[in-house]
Amino acid sequence: MQARILTLLAAAYALAVPQIFADAAADESWKKVEAAMKSIKQPETRPKSREEAVEMLKKGLAEYDAAAKAFSEKAPTDARRWEAKYFELEISRARDFVGQKDAPSADKLADEILNAPDASAEMKANATGMKLVNRVQNLDESPGGETAWAKDAEAYLKANPQSKFAPMFEQKLKSITALAGIKDKPLDLKFTAVDGREIDLSKMRGKVVLIDFWAVWCGPCVAEMPNVLKAYEKLHPKGFEIVGISLDQDKAKLEAFVKDKGMAWPQYFDGKGWKNDISTKYGINSIPAMWLVDKKGMVVSTNARGKLEELVEKYLAAE
């Protein structure tokens, strides 16, 4: 009997040892994946230019791809692979930024997670949230897009009230409510600009107008300004105008920035920051917010960022 027990123990040990080593190898490989993720999310040094940012990101993505591939080969059924897949979903725009156009689409990555039998409920909820985040970028381009998105976002929040996306979706729903009907009639906007000019949007009929909600202290706004200036210089002679709505509190800094950058268009300023009268009226909760108004005074886009020149040319050509 004792001999048989020893034999069984030896057999069990023989079966367990390879698995122990396999698990240890997978854990060590996963550490490299986590390190690569961290290097992308929290780089040790900040890039000093766009070019440097692209190169740093390319290097980080290459290290991540190599680590993720090695982990997948060592542990093809390890549930942590869905954490890696979700990270790929999070950085899908970063791949676009560095020109990796052959990468899987965000929706495809999300669907892989949602269809995975061994992905956790939390991971699937996050994937659904990311799909909703990505849809926000194209609400202007689909008829009824805002209504459909709001319905899906409300259902998501009901099912996932503690989701990390909840604050963002709640703010967007408030914005959609505040903007309800804004595209049904010409936009009414009148004010005295910081330089004394009297602005009345109704007197700009026949022009295509960008309403740019921004601030000097807003990094993404400042980063976007070269594109805005480029579009203005190219298309202003053809009938393109810009009206700035500044969420600054320091008038001197605003005036100095506008002068330094050569921003010839008028600026609304009331010194109230996020409580700015105009931005509050329209539920603006993040900047830059770039609205485009057509020749008839109708708001045709509330998300012109990243495609400004293309949209302006489109509406300048329209009758």
Side-chain angles (χ1 to χ4, degrees):
M1 176 65 74
Q2 187 175 7
R4 184 176 180 184
I5 291 174
L6 289 174
T7 301
L8 290 172
L9 287 174
Y13 179 77
L15 291 171
V17 167
Q19 186 59 48
I20 291 171
F21 280 112
D23 290 346
D27 289 344
E28 193 62 31
S29 184
W30 181 250
K31 288 179 183 178
K32 294 180 181 179
V33 175
E34 290 183 315
M37 290 178 179
K38 184 177 179 180
S39 73
I40 294 174
K41 288 184 175 181
Q42 302 170 1
E44 293 182 359
T45 58
R46 293 179 63 85
K48 297 178 181 178
S49 66
R50 186 181 190 281
E51 292 72 23
E52 187 175 343
V54 169
E55 290 307 311
M56 285 177 61
L57 195 49
K58 281 183 178 179
K59 181 181 178 181
L61 288 170
E63 291 174 352
Y64 166 76
D65 288 341
K69 181 180 179 182
F71 175 76
S72 178
E73 290 172 349
K74 283 186 173 64
T77 61
D78 193 304
R80 287 175 292 188
R81 72 190 187 280
W82 297 116
E83 291 182 48
K85 186 69 68 174
Y86 179 73
F87 180 73
E88 289 181 38
L89 173 57
E90 288 186 311
I91 62 172
S92 59
R93 290 184 191 171
R95 293 191 187 277
D96 289 339
F97 180 68
V98 300
Q100 295 184 0
K101 302 299 184 183
D102 57 341
S105 69
D107 277 350
K108 182 178 179 180
L109 292 168
D111 288 340
E112 283 187 55
I113 296 171
L114 292 171
N115 294 326
D118 59 336
S120 68
E122 179 183 5
M123 195 64 63
K124 291 186 177 186
N126 285 342
T128 302
M130 282 298 295
K131 291 191 75 169
L132 283 167
V133 169
N134 291 329
R135 280 173 58 189
V136 169
Q137 305 301 314
N138 301 309
L139 293 184
D140 284 334
E141 299 172 9
S142 56
E146 286 189 343
T147 301
W149 185 91
K151 181 179 178 180
D152 291 342
E154 287 170 350
Y156 178 85
L157 289 171
K158 184 176 180 179
N160 306 280
Q162 303 303 317
S163 167
K164 63 181 180 179
F165 297 106
M168 181 195 313
F169 292 167
E170 287 166 357
Q171 285 292 335
K172 183 60 181 177
L173 287 168
K174 289 179 182 178
S175 177
I176 289 174
T177 300
L179 294 175
I182 197 173
K183 295 181 181 180
D184 297 336
K185 59 183 178 181
L187 185 65
D188 181 22
L189 184 61
K190 299 178 184 178
F191 63 87
T192 301
V194 72
D195 61 6
R197 277 183 278 182
E198 294 297 329
I199 304 304
D200 184 346
L201 202 60
S202 68
K203 296 180 180 179
M204 295 184 182
R205 298 287 195 272
K207 307 279 189 179
V208 173
V209 184
L210 171 68
I211 311 297
D212 189 14
F213 297 88
W214 75 292
V216 171
W217 49 260
C218 166
C221 302
V222 173
E224 189 68 25
M225 199 52 66
N227 297 324
V228 176
L229 282 161
K230 179 186 174 185
Y232 184 78
E233 290 169 3
K234 177 182 178 181
L235 301 171
H236 176 63
K238 300 179 181 180
F240 175 45
E241 301 288 352
I242 302 178
V243 172
I245 309 296
S246 167
L247 275 69
D248 286 290
Q249 292 178 294
D250 189 321
K251 184 177 180 182
K253 285 185 179 180
L254 169 64
E255 291 176 321
F257 185 92
V258 166
K259 182 179 180 181
D260 179 62
K261 299 298 181 182
M263 298 160 62
W265 52 90
Q267 299 287 338
Y268 173 83
F269 173 83
D270 61 17
K272 298 179 181 180
W274 280 111
K275 294 184 179 180
N276 175 294
D277 288 346
I278 293 178
S279 65
T280 299
K281 176 181 178 181
Y282 294 118
I284 301 298
N285 52 55
S286 66
I287 54 175
M290 302 171 67
W291 294 8
L292 203 63
V293 177
D294 69 8
K295 296 177 183 179
K296 297 177 182 179
M298 305 293 290
V299 175
V300 289
S301 174
T302 55
N303 184 30
R305 184 184 179 192
K307 48 195 172 185
L308 178 61
E309 193 172 314
E310 173 189 344
L311 286 175
V312 172
E313 288 181 331
K314 173 184 174 180
Y315 287 105
L316 281 174
E319 292 299 329

